[in-house]
Amino acid sequence: MIRAAAPDPQDIPVYGPAAHATWEWLSSHTALTNPADHNADTLRGSLRQGLVINPTTLPGLLEGIETASLNVPAPRIPVLHRTLLDSWTRTSPTPVPDQPTAPFLHGLSTTPEDVQVLWRNDLPSLDGQPDWDRWAARMAQVPPHPGETVAISARQLRRFLSQPTADDTTSDLEGTPDGEVPAAAKKHQAMAPVLRYDDRDNQWVPATGPRDIRPGSTIVLPSHYSGHDAYGWTGTPGVAVVDLADFPPRTHSAPTRLDAQSLALLGGFDEATTHAATTAITRASKKLLAGEDDESVTDIVHQLLDRLLGLLPVAACAQPTTDSHTYELHQRLSQLRTITAWDTAADGRSARTGHAILDATDPSRLLLVPARPQGDRIERTAGVNDEDADGSSLTRPVGLAQHSKAVAARAADFAVRLELPAPLVTAVETGAHAHDCGKHHPRFQCMLCAGDRLLAESLDEPLAKSGMDPADRTGRHRAARLANWHPELRHEALSALAVHKWLTTNPTHTKGLDGDLILHLVASHHGHARPLLPPVTDPDPIDVTCLMPDQQHITVNSAAMGTDWTGPDRFHALNRRYGPWGLALLEAVVRLADMACSEEGS
């Protein structure tokens, strides 16, 4: 244990006198060790004689001890009224005003709230200004992951972006107060432009002024802004920050961006080596874009990887170091080189074939997605979520019947483990089974077939997941456009419409179950319908026949999608019946089961 010392216990960061009292209590139970009096071997031996503290031993050590002085005083937490709680349950549309939850979770505090910050080196400009559309597209293509983000106070980030040369007094201890009080004159101060993720609209938006930096946001800075080094946040200009987007933790199948500037930071390239990498990537991309038969896609990719591996400094590739990422880059490029086949087709990725994604607007950039994991290995990639209708599918095309049964079984298993009553387990299982029945829509099936209508019509059974790479945003948008599937059109709205009609037939399958709950679980499995679905209707409505859990076929017209005005009353009644936390739990069971099965390809 390392002691945070201060002349006055009141000055100890975060914990104040409680930290001092805890240290005094600890030192009364064991001898203190001064590391300066030991070498590595004797220090190790001395520490073995120390006090053993863990969840098993701590209760006995604290028996009979007054612990009030050892703990930070409880914060003042405001009273939560039912009206406010009800407003929090409504997320679509967002209530006005939207009261922050932090004071009710952590207490009233003047400690500045944090933002999550990351750096990317492939954010292009257009006529000297940020190309916002391409910034957003590239962030959607390779979403952020926890391994590349740091938390700093929103106020400190505003200061850095507005006054990059100012001294940074931010503590590296989480929750340390910041004494700065913004002056009224700074309200319209110019700020270096960055990108912010809008949680409400689920999209990346420009942030060009201090007011756009909101607590809790995720903010993307171009790497050349600096502000961070190998040891953490600096808050001052310096060298460009290494872009670590391609190295999410606990995954071996993340996409790799072959962009010379990003590779230069990872590999420590000089100007000549960076130029050579740019030339190699551009030449390979142009060959792939031309689609000539002289060389295969595999040969072109292998030659490019060989060239890039040859540019890496040999000495730095031997072992990892704290101030260089050359070793990790060498490992990644070597892994990609072992893949025996590559393809540029949207559906070309398989367990043996990697996918090369081209950027027609920038031939000096290429995205390589490794082959799918072999056998039963689960593929996990940064940015996996359940917002997009097909966004969680990372493995292979999945049939709708197979996926529906798998999600129903997984949701039922979750519900049983939560020890829910039998009728609720069955209701959850039924809602999970029916959640994607709206994907029977012919144009949705066309989208899952990369926009190929003839292929969609020739399928033996409807699909639930296309198997297209989530990183290939261009291909996915093209498929939606060719299928004439509006981006805001929700398949769960059609699923809810079909389930509602099915329930009116009083099926034996749902006897004794809460029909309102089943309908809500179907409508809300992508986070909407609290209480309204997006008000987007099918511009070209048709009759759609959906298969229900009891194998009954229900036909509905897609003209009624997104216009369920019974939703608010049903949502209000369910919140009263199960409580706001209980209903949220039931929704989470279905959503997490759907996400888990989608990740596994089942």
Side-chain angles (χ1 to χ4, degrees):
M1 177 175 292
I2 299 174
R3 179 189 183 191
D8 185 343
Q10 296 286 349
D11 296 332
I12 297 178
V14 184
Y15 298 106
H20 177 74
T22 301
W23 177 261
E24 292 296 319
W25 177 81
L26 288 170
S27 60
S28 68
H29 284 71
T30 187
L32 301 182
T33 298
N34 186 351
D37 298 334
H38 298 270
N39 59 33
D41 293 331
T42 60
L43 178 61
R44 189 179 300 111
S46 175
L47 291 178
R48 289 197 184 101
Q49 308 304 317
L51 186 65
V52 177
I53 297 181
N54 57 46
T56 302
T57 63
L58 189 58
L61 292 171
L62 292 177
E63 187 175 356
I65 302 297
E66 174 55 53
T67 60
S69 63
L70 307 181
N71 293 285
V72 177
R76 180 187 173 191
I77 297 179
V79 176
L80 176 59
H81 295 283
R82 182 68 196 223
T83 303
L84 180 56
L85 181 59
D86 286 345
S87 75
W88 280 343
T89 66
R90 301 191 302 272
T91 56
S92 53
T94 303
V96 179
D98 188 10
Q99 173 69 45
T101 60
F104 299 88
L105 296 173
H106 310 296
L108 298 174
S109 172
T110 58
T111 299
E113 295 184 77
D114 289 341
V115 292
Q116 297 295 321
V117 182
L118 62 137
W119 287 259
R120 291 291 175 91
N121 200 42
D122 62 341
L123 305 178
S125 59
L126 183 63
D127 298 328
Q129 298 297 322
D131 190 340
W132 296 116
D133 289 340
R134 292 173 71 191
W135 281 30
R138 291 188 174 182
M139 288 305 303
Q141 189 179 54
V142 184
H145 60 80
E148 63 173 328
T149 60
V150 296
I152 64 172
S153 74
R155 183 179 300 165
Q156 189 60 34
L157 181 61
R158 295 188 197 104
R159 181 192 300 162
F160 170 69
L161 295 173
S162 303
Q163 309 171 49
T165 59
D167 291 337
D168 186 4
T169 58
T170 304
S171 168
D172 61 356
L173 292 174
E174 186 176 348
T176 302
D178 186 335
E180 180 193 1
V181 177
K186 294 184 180 180
K187 288 184 178 180
H188 302 289
Q189 186 174 3
M191 187 188 82
V194 294
L195 202 63
R196 176 178 64 84
Y197 188 70
D198 188 332
D199 292 310
R200 295 181 180 178
D201 294 332
N202 296 303
Q203 62 181 348
W204 292 97
V205 297
T208 57
R211 291 185 175 181
D212 295 331
I213 306 297
R214 302 170 185 172
S217 299
T218 298
I219 306 294
V220 183
L221 277 60
S223 289
H224 67 84
Y225 282 14
S226 192
H228 193 278
D229 61 18
Y231 303 99
W233 171 256
T234 65
T236 57
V239 298
V241 181
V242 177
D243 180 344
L244 297 176
D246 298 334
F247 297 90
R250 300 181 300 279
T251 180
H252 300 286
S253 55
T256 300
R257 297 161 302 153
L258 298 186
D259 175 272
Q261 297 301 322
S262 297
L263 296 178
L265 290 176
L266 289 165
F269 293 172
D270 57 21
E271 186 175 345
T273 308
T274 304
H275 178 72
T278 302
T279 302
I281 296 170
T282 303
R283 182 183 297 119
S285 295
K286 288 183 176 178
K287 287 182 178 180
L288 294 172
L289 285 167
E292 299 175 354
D293 296 331
D294 306 12
E295 296 179 274
S296 68
V297 173
T298 301
D299 289 339
I300 294 172
V301 173
H302 282 174
Q303 291 170 16
L304 173 59
L305 292 171
D306 289 338
R307 175 59 175 150
L308 295 176
L309 284 166
L311 293 176
L312 296 176
V314 177
C317 296
Q319 59 184 4
T321 60
T322 58
D323 57 350
S324 172
H325 297 276
T326 306
Y327 174 82
E328 289 85 354
L329 178 59
H330 181 269
Q331 293 290 102
R332 174 61 61 82
L333 296 179
S334 299
Q335 174 198 352
L336 294 173
R337 184 61 179 83
T338 63
I339 297 174
T340 56
W342 290 90
D343 202 338
T344 57
D347 57 352
R349 186 173 178 233
S350 67
R352 295 185 178 181
T353 305
H355 184 200
I357 300 175
L358 305 171
D359 187 343
T361 64
D362 186 359
S364 65
R365 184 176 186 271
L366 188 63
L367 189 74
L368 297 184
V369 184
R372 296 190 178 111
Q374 297 279 357
D376 296 331
R377 289 178 58 195
I378 297 174
E379 181 172 19
R380 300 186 185 278
T381 301
V384 174
N385 59 64
D386 67 342
E387 175 56 31
D388 291 334
D390 187 42
S392 300
S393 179
L394 297 183
T395 50
R396 60 187 69 86
V398 181
L400 182 55
Q402 173 192 342
H403 178 67
S404 299
K405 292 177 182 178
V407 175
R410 185 66 58 87
D413 180 58
F414 287 169
V416 169
R417 291 172 184 270
L418 289 169
E419 299 182 353
L420 297 180
L424 277 185
V425 173
T426 307
V428 165
E429 182 179 18
T430 303
H433 198 150
H435 78 287
D436 269 352
C437 66
K439 289 185 177 181
H440 281 91
H441 194 301
R443 295 207 311 277
F444 193 93
Q445 290 297 306
C446 180
M447 181 182 70
L448 295 183
C449 292
D452 189 332
R453 180 175 58 83
L454 294 178
L455 176 60
E457 292 175 352
S458 64
L459 290 173
D460 293 332
E461 61 171 340
L463 293 176
K465 305 291 179 182
S466 68
M468 293 178 64
D469 291 321
D472 189 2
R473 304 291 293 191
T474 302
R476 292 161 64 82
H477 290 161
R478 183 190 305 114
R481 185 177 66 255
L482 292 173
N484 192 28
W485 185 264
H486 191 279
E488 299 300 323
L489 202 59
R490 305 301 310 186
H491 72 277
E492 65 266 31
L494 187 59
S495 297
L497 195 64
V499 169
H500 182 268
K501 185 174 180 179
W502 175 55
L503 291 173
T504 62
T505 67
N506 297 316
T508 305
H509 194 86
T510 62
K511 186 176 181 180
L513 303 182
D514 188 339
D516 283 347
L517 176 62
I518 294 173
L519 180 54
H520 177 72
L521 293 177
V522 170
S524 65
H525 80 269
H526 279 296
H528 299 287
R530 309 195 98 235
L532 294 175
L533 285 159
V536 180
T537 57
D538 191 348
D540 187 15
I542 59 172
D543 287 337
V544 180
T545 300
C546 303
L547 183 64
M548 296 293 106
D550 62 353
Q551 302 306 302
Q552 182 180 170
H553 288 86
I554 295 294
T555 300
V556 291
N557 192 278
S558 61
M561 293 173 65
T563 56
D564 181 12
W565 292 108
T566 65
D569 287 340
R570 180 171 59 250
F571 183 66
H572 178 78
L574 290 172
N575 272 289
R576 290 293 183 268
R577 192 174 306 157
Y578 299 104
W581 287 278
L583 183 60
L585 174 65
L586 295 170
E587 291 178 29
V589 168
V590 175
R591 292 187 69 180
L592 292 177
D594 186 23
M595 294 173 69
C597 292
S598 296
E599 286 185 345
E600 297 168 4
S602 60

